[in-house]
Amino acid sequence: MQADYPVMRDVVLVGGGHAHALVARMWAMAPLPGARLTLINPGPVAPYTGMLPGLIGGHYRRDEIMIDLVRLARFAGARLILDRAAGIDTAARQIVLHDRPPLPYDVASLDIGIGSDLPDLPGFARHATAAKPLGDYALAWEAFVARRLAYPRVVVVGGGVGGVELALASAYRLRAGGAQPKITLVERAAEILPHIGAGARRSLLDHLAKAGVAIVTGETPVGATATEVALTNGQTLGADFVLTVAGSRPQGWLGETGLALERGFVTVGPTLQTSDPQVFASGDCAHMTHAPRPKAGVFAVRQAPVLFHNLRAALTGAPLRTYHPQRDYLKLVSTGDKAAVADKFGLRAGGPWLWRLKDRIDRKFMAMFGDFPAMPAPALPANAVPGLAEVIGPKPLCGGCGAKLGGPALAGALAALPQPARADVLSGRGDDAAILRAQGGVQVITTDHLRRFTHDPRLMARIAALHALGDIWAMGAAPQAALTQVILPRMSDTKSAETLAEVMAEAAATFAEAGADVVGGHSSVGGELTIGFTVTGLARRALTKGGAQPGDALILTKAIGTGTIMAAEMAVVHLPGLILGEAVAAALTSMTQSSGPAAAVLAPVARAMTDVTGFGLAGHLLEMLDASGCGAQVQAATIPLLPGAMKLAAAGESSSLAPANRALTVGRLMLPEGPLRALLHDPQTGGGLLAAVPAEQAEEILERLRAAGYDAVRIGQVVAGPPRIEVIQSND
């Protein structure tokens, strides 16, 4: 387990390519005290290039070829920012991002890959799919295969090794599904496969012929529609799926950085430094001036140890190492079926045994990002007080709302709190916010804070702000003002100022979006980042948890499962068939969705409302039922769940607060043990609103909520009887 040292310097990795993935893994095993690692990537996963043809051919599941950057970042103790880089300000030492303010760096590295699209050709941006970035291609291909066309037509633009490999994989996959495909390979040069040995080329041409792949050479596409590709000679090719693998296109924004470029690619020397010594580059986006090589993943993989050393050396003053690539390398080209052709130094071999060799090599690489080695937790001293291990528990304490005190302990602590003595304090404990008398109506006031569950302070600030605002919206009030409470971990003065500025800027933007002002607050230094807000709101009348009536429809505006997903992320859980990073990204998207517009729809018509947070859906629904003196029937099939939540719950993953939440519902939740019951106890951070509305208005309300961007559902109804929840499961 890594010690938390004060942050003094920032190392920022831009892009989740192979070199950076390996650097992050090495960093996990040997972090640099005082340095913070940040990884920026548009999505939560990065595909492994070597296994892409196997995925297209149907030999691998999608999760088998994806490097989960979320799990990797957690293992490395790194900050992960899911955004796209748009530039570098080398003078200010900032990475310019697409969707958020610039991010400071002390040392940066680029591994952003290349593109293979043809944006200048009419229709290609809309009707063609580029092989790179690989992740988008993989999704588009699976969607195409799912159409199950009987006579699918595929046009592959680009007759290099990549185009040939993907044409063969496409033909195999479609035939295996019972289709009769027509695959056409288009190459502008006079012949395909110009950069491979003669023996391997002859073998691959033979495979193309046997697979029925037509080859068109000496022609260039000039446009595409939804059904065809036009060539320079006037010929048109019928096409249901168009794939471009033609050449390597660098990211356009690199030209605005001021870094030295070669044909748009960043030039690097033997130390992998660019023309700015504080910026490094690796992988396909880099051009090695000392040893030019074709674009191939093998070089990125072998650059990683040198890059890892040099990033650290740039901060510590240690000598830099140099990278000198091999002259040639073994190329294993898959042939669609489970066979491959090898090429190195002009030699040629082929057959199923080469596929098995390639498969072993690829799986060995991906195994480095599967089950990460366990990092030992500090041992308890021998003379510890009895029971200490049980209190600590077998898993780390969750962040977010999963870190709050359990219901029974909280109720006991509040039992002795006196009732409000002032006449203008209309209610205190027991609802989402206190209610104060105000001119023309009431003022509600609440406070909330969250322990860090992500290393991204800006993301934490938005989620914490929306989480605190949930109590105001749940009472039908308009947010008014907020005070901020921030505990910063130990950092240098510069990093503390940067972090606090990030938190306050994001908080101010989030509250302004809700119509409220941030009017001040308090900061201190402590063990970890904690962000909280005290928020006030105004209303003509406060909407409470009481007031639900039998027959009312129960509407929930967000899916549940954030606690389970984030607990699994903290534990770096690896489940075959699940890409945890994508589940985490979906959970974060849910947490950062404001409930303000939903409250505007629900508050005028709801008889009772609350937000679903730390006590889970079951706990908060029971609070509403207790206050209203009613029961509820909930349809199990209608309960919305975040992607991956059910699979994780079935595997036993849960938040550290879940046991206390289960204690709240004993004897009052009619549902057998299982993953769904576990998720009903799952603490939610930034959860949705739960409202009891007149049944006759439910459908209109749902339509308005969905039009506002919510995946809102009717989960059940309020019924007469004691306050308990009956979950009805389908007999199908």
Side-chain angles (χ1 to χ4, degrees):
M1 183 175 292
Q2 301 175 11
D4 287 328
Y5 294 99
V7 174
M8 307 292 291
R9 297 287 186 271
D10 276 309
V11 178
V12 178
L13 307 179
V14 183
H18 300 355
H20 280 178
L22 289 168
V23 166
R25 191 182 189 281
M26 295 175 202
W27 191 280
M29 308 306 290
L32 179 62
R36 173 172 55 182
L37 185 68
T38 298
L39 176 60
I40 300 171
N41 199 68
V45 298
Y48 172 50
T49 311
M51 297 175 80
L52 178 67
L55 174 74
I56 300 303
H59 306 309
Y60 298 122
R61 300 189 311 268
R62 185 168 172 272
D63 65 288
E64 291 181 296
I65 80 158
M66 293 293 179
I67 300 172
D68 190 332
L69 299 178
V70 172
R71 292 181 61 251
L72 178 59
R74 173 62 71 175
F75 178 59
R79 173 176 51 171
L80 177 63
I81 294 177
L82 298 179
D83 199 353
R84 189 178 300 278
I88 303 176
D89 185 340
T90 55
R93 291 195 183 179
Q94 292 182 332
I95 306 298
V96 180
L97 299 173
H98 188 269
D99 293 325
R100 53 188 279 168
L103 190 76
Y105 69 86
D106 295 287
V107 177
S109 178
L110 304 175
D111 186 10
I112 56 176
I114 56 177
S116 63
D117 56 338
L118 302 172
D120 297 330
L121 294 183
F124 268 70
R126 181 177 180 183
H127 300 296
T129 299
K132 294 185 178 182
L134 305 179
D136 294 342
Y137 166 38
L139 290 173
W141 174 252
E142 293 303 321
F144 173 67
V145 171
R147 292 170 59 187
R148 293 188 168 276
L149 299 178
Y151 301 97
R153 301 166 299 171
V154 177
V155 173
V156 179
V157 181
V161 169
V164 168
E165 201 169 23
L166 293 173
L168 289 169
S170 301
Y172 178 84
R173 175 73 173 278
L174 293 170
R175 283 202 174 89
Q180 298 181 41
K182 181 177 181 181
I183 314 290
T184 305
L185 191 64
V186 180
E187 169 58 43
R188 65 181 178 181
E191 61 180 23
I192 66 170
L193 297 169
H195 303 299
I196 197 169
R201 183 174 183 275
R202 285 193 299 271
S203 179
L204 289 170
L205 286 172
D206 184 55
H207 280 285
L208 288 168
K210 291 178 179 177
V213 176
I215 300 173
V216 177
T217 58
E219 297 294 339
T220 302
V222 293
T225 69
T227 58
E228 62 184 23
V229 173
L231 304 180
T232 48
N233 63 359
Q235 179 185 1
T236 59
L237 302 173
D240 302 301
F241 188 89
V242 181
L243 175 68
T244 63
V245 201
S248 306
R249 190 176 64 83
Q251 305 253 4
W253 61 263
L254 292 173
E256 307 297 323
T257 62
L259 299 173
L261 306 178
E262 172 68 27
R263 293 176 288 109
F265 300 100
V266 182
T267 60
V268 297
T271 61
L272 303 180
Q273 288 170 297
T274 68
S275 55
D276 183 327
Q278 298 306 114
V279 179
F280 294 74
S282 61
D284 287 349
C285 71
H287 172 76
M288 295 181 287
T289 56
H290 64 294
R293 294 291 188 274
K295 304 302 180 186
V298 63
F299 299 118
V301 170
R302 296 187 180 182
Q303 286 168 345
V306 175
L307 180 62
F308 172 69
H309 172 87
N310 289 352
L311 289 171
R312 295 161 60 96
L315 294 179
T316 62
L320 300 178
R321 294 179 183 171
T322 58
Y323 169 72
H324 296 284
Q326 68 271 34
R327 184 170 63 87
D328 199 1
Y329 62 97
L330 176 64
K331 307 176 191 71
L332 294 173
V333 185
S334 60
T335 55
D337 53 354
K338 291 188 176 182
V341 171
D343 178 57
K344 185 176 182 182
F345 298 125
L347 302 176
R348 174 257 175 182
W353 71 273
L354 277 175
W355 166 267
R356 293 192 291 271
L357 173 62
K358 175 177 168 55
D359 181 63
R360 284 198 300 271
I361 293 171
D362 291 338
R363 289 186 184 275
K364 181 179 180 182
F365 178 85
M366 286 302 295
M368 292 190 291
F369 306 102
D371 291 318
F372 292 118
M375 309 301 282
L380 291 177
N383 58 348
V385 171
L388 179 60
E390 287 74 15
V391 172
I392 292 175
K395 59 174 63 179
L397 179 65
C398 288
C401 214
K404 73 186 297 182
L405 194 64
L410 181 62
L414 296 178
L417 190 67
Q419 292 297 320
R422 293 178 56 96
D424 54 356
V425 179
L426 303 181
S427 73
R429 58 187 173 89
D431 221 303
D432 288 307
I435 305 173
L436 312 178
R437 181 176 289 112
Q439 186 174 6
V442 296
Q443 182 184 55
V444 296
I445 182 170
T446 186
T447 190
D448 214 327
H449 72 263
L450 300 178
R451 283 183 63 238
R452 183 196 73 187
F453 58 87
T454 170
H455 291 284
D456 183 354
R458 188 176 291 276
L459 180 62
M460 272 295 305
R462 176 166 177 82
I463 293 173
L466 292 175
H467 188 80
L469 281 163
D471 287 338
I472 302 298
W473 285 319
M475 299 195 77
Q480 178 190 22
L483 290 169
T484 307
Q485 302 93 42
V486 181
I487 301 176
L488 293 174
R490 291 184 299 162
M491 298 177 166
S492 69
D493 289 345
T494 299
K495 296 303 175 186
S496 291
E498 289 175 354
T499 302
L500 186 57
E502 275 193 277
V503 169
M504 295 305 295
E506 191 63 29
T510 303
F511 280 103
E513 177 188 317
D517 294 318
V518 175
V519 295
H522 181 75
S523 64
S524 61
V525 176
E528 64 180 345
L529 178 66
T530 302
I531 303 175
F533 299 95
T534 298
V535 191
T536 63
L538 297 174
R540 298 186 68 85
R541 69 172 184 89
L543 184 61
T544 67
K545 296 174 185 175
Q549 300 176 13
D552 283 350
L554 292 170
I555 290 179
L556 180 63
T557 63
K558 288 187 183 182
I560 62 173
T562 62
T564 294
I565 291 170
M566 299 312 295
E569 188 263 352
M570 285 186 66
V572 202
V573 169
H574 177 225
L575 287 182
L578 173 70
I579 302 177
L580 180 62
E582 292 182 335
V584 170
L588 292 173
T589 297
S590 176
M591 286 186 265
T592 53
Q593 183 184 31
S594 169
S595 287
V601 173
L602 289 168
V605 294
R607 290 196 173 110
M609 189 157 68
T610 187
D611 58 335
V612 179
T613 55
F615 297 148
L617 176 57
H620 287 288
L621 176 53
L622 282 171
E623 285 185 325
M624 182 186 292
L625 299 177
D626 284 335
S628 303
C630 303
Q633 288 182 339
V634 172
Q635 300 292 330
T638 65
I639 299 171
L641 304 177
L642 286 165
M646 183 67 87
K647 188 176 183 71
L648 288 166
E653 299 300 324
S654 64
S655 167
S656 54
L657 182 60
N661 284 352
R662 286 196 293 272
L664 287 172
T665 69
V666 172
R668 301 208 294 163
L669 176 60
M670 307 299 109
L671 177 67
E673 290 294 337
L676 180 60
R677 184 183 177 96
L679 289 171
L680 291 179
H681 294 125
D682 187 49
Q684 304 303 291
T685 301
L689 296 174
L690 175 66
V693 304
E696 63 274 13
Q697 299 183 50
E699 286 306 313
E700 177 189 353
I701 292 168
L702 286 172
E703 288 181 9
R704 293 176 60 194
L705 288 170
R706 290 164 184 162
Y710 298 92
D711 295 326
V713 294
R714 177 176 178 169
I715 63 169
Q717 62 183 354
V718 179
V719 297
R724 68 176 193 172
I725 304 168
E726 180 187 3
V727 181
I728 300 174
Q729 301 188 75
S730 171
N731 293 324
D732 295 342

